[in-house]
Amino acid sequence: MDKPYEHFQVNEFNFIRRFGQNVSEDDLVWHRDKRDRVIYVIHVDDGWSFQEDNKLPQELHSMTSVFRIEAGTYHRLIKGKGHCVLYVEEK
């Protein structure tokens, strides 16, 4: 299965993910990661949100939104308009 994003590896533990305007909402599924992550929102167009299990969605904002995800925590992105570009640090 193709990934719903473009992946750019910066170094062993850091990467950039770009979700395009044509990504399907069906591809943005609930999932868990194997490592703790800190996510920095580089650029986001209107309407994109982040949601952790049993929590309300949080609207994303360019250059100000930062969130931490513990390994094994269910979470997802909710599609908005346009693009979403994230910088990810794995711990």
Side-chain angles (χ1 to χ4, degrees):
M1 176 181 134
D2 289 334
K3 300 291 184 184
Y5 51 78
E6 293 176 87
H7 180 90
F8 306 93
Q9 195 72 37
V10 174
N11 60 39
E12 184 178 358
F13 297 107
N14 300 304
F15 51 88
I16 296 169
R17 292 223 171 129
R18 179 185 174 276
F19 296 82
Q21 62 188 16
N22 295 325
V23 66
S24 170
E25 289 182 36
D26 294 336
D27 289 335
L28 300 177
V29 297
W30 287 97
H31 66 282
R32 297 183 292 182
D33 299 314
K34 293 180 181 180
R35 293 186 169 155
D36 292 349
R37 290 184 172 176
V38 177
I39 312 293
Y40 301 89
V41 179
I42 303 302
H43 171 80
V44 66
D45 291 315
D46 292 338
W48 286 83
S49 298
F50 168 76
Q51 185 176 16
E52 282 187 282
D53 195 23
N54 296 316
K55 295 185 180 177
L56 293 173
Q58 300 173 25
E59 186 175 340
L60 300 180
H61 300 280
S62 296
M63 302 304 291
T64 58
S65 294
V66 177
F67 46 98
R68 288 165 179 73
I69 307 168
E70 291 186 23
T73 302
Y74 276 103
H75 62 280
R76 68 176 176 157
L77 278 178
I78 299 171
K79 184 180 191 260
K81 298 177 183 176
H83 299 88
C84 177
V85 181
L86 307 174
Y87 184 85
V88 181
E89 291 180 354
E90 286 191 330
K91 304 295 181 186

